[in-house]
Amino acid sequence: MTAFPSAPADGTYYRACNLCEAICGLQLTVRAGQVVDVRGDPDDPLSRGHLCPKGAVIADIHTDPDRLKRPLRRDGDTWTELGWDEALNEVAARLREVQARHGQHSVAVYQGNPSVHNSGTLLSAGGFVRALGSRSRFSATSMDQLPHHFAAAEMFGHPLLLPIPDIDRSDYFLMLGANPLASNGSIMTAPGMASRLKAVRQRGGKVVLIDPRRTESAAYADEHHFIRPGSDALLLLAFLNVIFAEQLDRPGRLAEFTDGLEELQTAAVPFTPERVAPVTGLDAPTIRRLAREFAAAPRGVAYGRIGLSLQAFGGLCQWLLNALNLVTGHLDAPGGAMWPRPAFDLLMRAKKGETYHGRWHSRVRGLPEFDGELPVAALAEEFTTPGEGQLRALVTIAGNPVLSTPDGARLDEALADAELVVSVDPYLNATTRRAHYILPPAVGLETRHYDVVFHHFAVRNTARLSDPIFPIGEDQRYDYQIFEGLRQRLSGEGGSTPDERLELGLKHGPRRTSLTELRASPHGTDYGPLEPCLPERLLTAGGRLHAAPAPMLADLPRLEALLGAEVPGLVLIGRRQLRSNNSWMHNVPRLMRGPERCTLMLSEVDAARLGISDGQAVEVRSRVGAVTVPAELTDTLMPGVVSLPHGFGHGKAGVRLRTAQARPGVSYNDLTDPAALDELTGNSAAGGLPVTVKPVAAVQESAAD
Ligand SMILES: Nc1nc2c(c(=O)[nH]1)N[C@H]1C(S)=C(S)[C@@H](COP(=O)(O)OP(=O)(O)OC[C@H]3O[C@@H](n4cnc5c(=O)[nH]c(N)nc54)[C@H](O)[C@@H]3O)O[C@H]1N2
Ligand SMILES: Nc1nc2c(c(=O)[nH]1)N[C@H]1C(S)=C(S)[C@@H](COP(=O)(O)OP(=O)(O)OC[C@H]3O[C@@H](n4cnc5c(=O)[nH]c(N)nc54)[C@H](O)[C@@H]3O)O[C@H]1N2
Ligand code: SF4
Ligand SMILES: [Mo]
């Protein structure tokens, strides 16, 4: 059945870009049913006209001939299109069959990143997952921001009470392990970071960046310092050490409702700048100076993102960042780290004193759950290790775990042997090629969207509703129809629609608004700057802020051991690129033009030592795998550190992505060791991975000996 949906009328349309956390307002011009122009919406109170190359080509996803619209079933190597009812009936029946044979928890669910960039998915996938009734839940969170949630739960009482830098009023921006000039900001919805960083300096403020690579963002900083990957927790403790030793601490009114300040001070005592300097790579006088400057700044904020989370001490890093802001008076204060108050408040009904950690454990390695999910580093082994409770089936939702999670190659093999794989995804890619059923939802410009999550991360309180521009064909479905269809078949129960849930949340939320009211402001609604909210918003059992949570203190000996540990010869870190979005926008021709981007960056010093020239093919090898990739020599990397972007590796058989297949690249996560974990939180330590690098010719020679 082919349907010809009516095209949108010619005219100008406004909506938020759903591709990254910056949620920029877009102004789209439609002529004859086609998007002919995309600009940043200058009247959006948050993004003020910002646009990046991805937003500019958002319509290319809509028109991508490789995008799937009808369900597919795979029998061996053959894909067959089928009708929605047939597909949903078969999927529900087969999920229940696997559960009947092997137990309820033998079906795993993996949710990927776009689940939070599509409010239809976000507000409906949970109903399906509950109906499935499996505890085997995984997501990209444990390959990403889990340490932020862990620290927030321990210190403030809820995983989502994440402090956000109030950058627009800050005069000292201390940034570690983030590259917003490429990523456009993360757990800091702040579109147009170049202008925002410039503004800090124009106000007479200072921007300091700490990163093993002198990144694109370094051009907007007053100072950039290299740091040895994975040693940030030591640096942060040394900052605290100096601040306490020199009595520069001034937590102010927060002291009245904060516990653990003395324990925090005691914990920092052993970590003097002199002691951590050789391991971090920053010298002691610089560490002292930065600590003093940060403490003295009237309005400063310390911010650290994925470089600090995707490492062995992610949980400690995120705790210590919050603690640093706290003791310097930079928490819950203008220009510091603050909490947004979004119109749809996910914490509205949150209970005080909940436990989020370690209520159950993974079967093979006994890794603890967090907030209902197990570490994704355990996903492959739960499939490949026989025994009671072994995983037999996987449902992926908006994710590409074969490319994005540890030891992706082994997961790929495991999925080839799985009894059932179901993917809710609009593309046939490295992961979904293993699916027995692909259920492709309508996406992007076809969907109604409200940023339920990202208004919680925004540097200003705003709200914006996006209505669909393009109608969908009769043979397409929205994600919520897919999840609702499965839920009804699994449980016999129906639920509310995402619109109904949004309406309810907006009505009872702090702004008492509605879909109609938001729709009346097509550029978005401005509720003003962030406001102090403590202690009222704390969700800890006693309503107090915990400066030195017990699990963090208990993890310090593991960190202390780093001071005496042997330094690996070469370690691998990741990088993001402006014209790319994790694994899934490599199929947009307009973004993939230009030089090869999946390269191994290495410093000229290391290249000379290893006899590697620019552009030469090199083999990168870790404990679990090896990839061959062109080398890119640079003076921007700290010697001893090499960098590879993640999200590539599209060259697998059966992948139907024309553009991505032309330049497949290799997958970082074929190297990522699932045993490398932040043991405190269960997050993957994909960064700081020990590797060896050799020119390929040398590899061939040694193979010939
Ligand atoms: N080595 C290394 N690994 C990493 C990272 C790293 O820095 N280094 N970063 C990690 C991080 S931060 C993240 S978030 C993850 C990302 O990991 P994943 O979320 O697993 O992967 P994505 O590449 O984001 O894949 C998104 C998938 O969603 C589909 N999709 C797009 N829009 C929609 C939609 O509206 N609905 C549905 N149902 N599907 C949709 C796309 O087709 C694609 O298959 O990767 C992690 N992996
Ligand atoms: N263009 C584009 N934008 C994106 C994405 C994308 O793939 N492409 N992905 C989106 C997603 S899912 C996320 S989570 C965000 C992430 O947003 P960011 O956190 O800003 O991501 P990155 O650009 O990877 O920056 C991480 C930085 O950490 C550094 N780093 C690595 N290891 C260490 C370390 O041990 N210590 C320190 N101090 N630094 C370290 C790296 O060199 C890198 O510069 O980006 C989002 N935005
Ligand atoms: S920065 Fe992010 S939200 Fe803004 S246009 Fe680019 S991809 Fe879209
Ligand atoms: Mo992410």
Side-chain angles (χ1 to χ4, degrees):
M1 177 175 49
T2 313
F4 297 95
S6 55
D10 285 3
T12 307
Y13 293 79
Y14 296 96
R15 62 178 282 132
C17 177
N18 65 307
L19 297 175
C20 89
E21 297 181 41
I23 63 171
C24 299
L26 302 180
Q27 176 186 308
L28 303 104
T29 309
V30 173
R31 296 265 178 274
Q34 302 284 324
V35 174
V36 295
D37 185 58
V38 181
R39 296 178 187 208
D41 178 357
D43 298 322
D44 183 300
L46 186 63
S47 67
R48 310 173 200 153
H50 180 67
L51 180 74
C52 89
K54 293 182 296 303
V57 299
I58 191 169
D60 292 21
I61 298 165
H62 180 70
T63 55
D64 188 346
D66 287 342
R67 180 161 71 99
L68 306 175
K69 296 186 176 168
R70 286 175 281 271
L72 287 178
R73 183 179 64 214
R74 181 174 61 84
D75 303 286
D77 292 333
T78 316
W79 291 97
T80 321
E81 275 189 7
L82 61 171
W84 280 101
D85 279 342
E86 196 185 357
L88 295 174
N89 287 340
E90 289 184 20
V91 167
R94 289 191 57 184
L95 286 169
R96 281 299 189 227
E97 269 167 39
V98 175
Q99 289 183 307
R101 261 200 309 278
H102 304 293
Q104 203 174 343
H105 307 302
S106 63
V107 179
V109 177
Y110 171 85
Q111 284 187 261
N113 170 271
S115 320
V116 288
H117 290 275
N118 180 332
S119 51
T121 313
L122 183 83
L123 296 170
S124 65
F128 156 69
V129 175
R130 276 190 297 280
L132 192 63
S134 169
R135 269 188 177 179
S136 307
R137 293 178 52 193
F138 300 84
S139 81
T141 292
S142 46
M143 196 68 188
D144 186 350
Q145 81 286 6
L146 172 53
H148 297 248
H149 295 310
F150 192 99
E154 288 293 335
M155 299 179 78
F156 314 121
H158 195 283
L160 269 176
L161 273 177
L162 301 175
I164 307 303
D166 182 19
I167 183 170
D168 294 345
R169 291 183 289 178
S170 191
D171 59 13
Y172 199 105
F173 197 67
L174 174 60
M175 174 158 66
L176 304 93
N179 184 12
L181 264 292
S183 69
N184 279 298
S186 182
I187 315 198
M188 174 178 64
T189 288
M193 273 298 285
S195 328
R196 291 185 137 104
L197 289 170
K198 266 192 213 158
V200 173
R201 298 171 71 187
Q202 273 158 8
R203 288 194 292 275
K206 185 163 182 177
V207 177
V208 175
L209 175 63
I210 294 173
D211 194 303
R213 186 164 76 89
R214 196 168 66 247
T215 61
E216 296 80 354
S217 300
Y220 294 83
D222 295 87
E223 286 180 35
H224 163 256
H225 300 279
F226 283 140
I227 186 163
R228 184 142 305 280
S231 68
D232 303 81
L234 292 173
L235 175 68
L236 294 169
L237 276 163
F239 286 159
L240 287 167
N241 175 291
V242 174
I243 287 165
F244 283 121
E246 302 186 4
Q247 295 175 353
L248 305 173
D249 53 310
R250 47 176 170 95
R253 67 178 181 91
L254 271 64
E256 287 164 30
F257 48 85
T258 299
D259 292 331
L261 283 167
E262 276 172 32
E263 287 89 335
L264 181 66
Q265 176 163 3
T266 309
V269 168
F271 299 93
T272 58
E274 288 68 22
R275 213 169 153 226
V276 308
V279 183
T280 59
L282 282 90
D283 60 61
T286 302
I287 298 174
R288 282 186 193 283
R289 177 176 58 79
L290 292 175
R292 288 174 191 147
E293 281 179 14
F294 184 71
R299 291 180 163 197
V301 65
Y303 162 74
R305 205 27 206 113
I306 202 165
L308 264 66
S309 285
L310 210 58
Q311 55 152 283
F313 300 100
L316 289 182
C317 283
Q318 297 304 336
W319 161 52
L320 293 165
L321 278 170
N322 293 339
L324 183 62
N325 286 323
L326 165 68
V327 302
T328 50
H330 298 328
L331 187 68
D332 200 36
M338 301 188 80
W339 284 273
R341 202 77 211 257
F344 186 104
D345 184 354
L346 282 164
L347 303 181
M348 214 160 52
R349 287 208 228 125
K351 287 199 216 84
K352 281 195 166 178
E354 288 274 313
T355 302
Y356 294 96
H357 183 230
R359 290 162 295 181
W360 63 88
H361 293 80
S362 72
R363 176 181 63 105
V364 178
R365 251 191 289 171
L367 300 177
E369 66 69 56
F370 182 84
D371 203 12
E373 293 179 0
L374 291 168
V376 75
L379 182 57
E381 72 201 19
E382 291 294 332
F383 272 98
T384 56
T385 313
E388 176 89 32
Q390 184 182 0
L391 289 181
R392 309 291 180 148
L394 178 68
V395 182
T396 70
I397 299 170
N400 192 356
V402 165
L403 298 189
S404 55
T405 70
D407 206 357
R410 190 149 71 108
L411 179 64
D412 186 39
E413 285 166 20
L415 296 184
D417 293 335
E419 288 186 22
L420 178 65
V421 179
V422 177
S423 292
V424 183
D425 200 289
Y427 282 106
L428 213 169
N429 60 28
T431 298
T432 61
R433 79 193 226 280
R434 295 302 192 192
H436 300 94
Y437 295 88
I438 303 182
L439 305 172
V443 295
L445 303 181
E446 296 166 333
T447 62
R448 176 162 302 121
H449 179 60
Y450 169 87
D451 279 293
V452 172
V453 169
F454 299 109
H455 287 301
H456 270 277
F457 297 174
V459 299
R460 191 174 176 87
N461 286 314
T462 66
R464 182 167 182 144
L465 178 70
S466 300
D467 276 320
I469 297 178
F470 291 96
I472 61 169
E474 267 176 55
D475 46 2
Q476 282 182 272
R477 292 292 180 274
Y478 296 108
D479 43 14
Y480 72 87
Q481 295 174 305
I482 298 171
F483 293 120
E484 192 54 27
L486 290 173
R487 170 193 164 121
Q488 277 170 5
R489 283 165 176 84
L490 289 171
S491 69
E493 285 167 24
S496 52
T497 65
D499 281 4
E500 288 162 350
R501 304 188 70 177
L502 270 179
E503 193 72 281
L504 208 66
L506 292 171
K507 183 176 161 195
H508 297 290
R511 313 292 171 184
R512 307 257 175 250
T513 184
S514 65
L515 291 172
T516 314
E517 200 173 274
L518 292 185
R519 191 168 283 128
S521 300
H523 307 289
T525 306
D526 190 8
Y527 302 113
L530 307 183
E531 286 169 299
C533 65
L534 296 192
E536 291 74 25
R537 279 205 104 183
L538 290 173
L539 285 164
T540 50
R544 298 190 53 93
L545 197 163
H546 299 156
M552 276 57 180
L553 296 177
D555 200 33
L556 286 172
R558 193 170 65 93
L559 178 69
E560 187 134 20
L562 188 66
L563 286 169
E566 204 183 309
V567 179
L570 273 184
V571 294
L572 179 65
I573 60 168
R575 68 176 187 273
R576 280 177 164 71
Q577 301 168 325
L578 190 56
R579 302 174 73 85
S580 152
N581 196 12
N582 295 324
S583 77
W584 76 280
M585 286 182 68
H586 296 168
N587 208 41
V588 178
R590 288 202 275 175
L591 291 177
M592 286 298 110
R593 286 187 196 131
E596 175 68 47
R597 295 207 189 86
C598 186
T599 59
L600 184 83
M601 281 186 169
L602 79 166
S603 80
E604 285 157 357
V605 180
D606 290 318
R609 182 170 54 86
L610 297 166
I612 293 167
S613 52
D614 193 46
Q616 185 175 6
V618 293
E619 184 206 70
V620 190
R621 182 172 287 280
S622 72
R623 187 184 73 90
V624 300
V627 299
T628 298
V629 62
E632 182 180 338
L633 270 49
T634 175
D635 64 359
T636 62
L637 265 176
M638 185 175 195
V641 182
V642 293
S643 152
L644 186 69
H646 75 286
F648 289 87
H650 309 290
K652 302 193 192 302
V655 171
R656 275 199 224 161
L657 296 170
R658 274 163 263 208
T659 302
Q661 276 280 24
R663 275 187 171 184
V666 297
S667 179
Y668 184 120
N669 291 316
D670 286 352
L671 301 170
T672 305
D673 188 342
L677 277 187
D678 170 18
E679 285 162 27
L680 175 61
T681 65
N683 208 42
S684 169
L689 193 71
V691 290
T692 55
V693 177
K694 286 182 199 168
V696 165
V699 173
Q700 280 161 351
E701 273 164 32
S702 65
D705 307 332

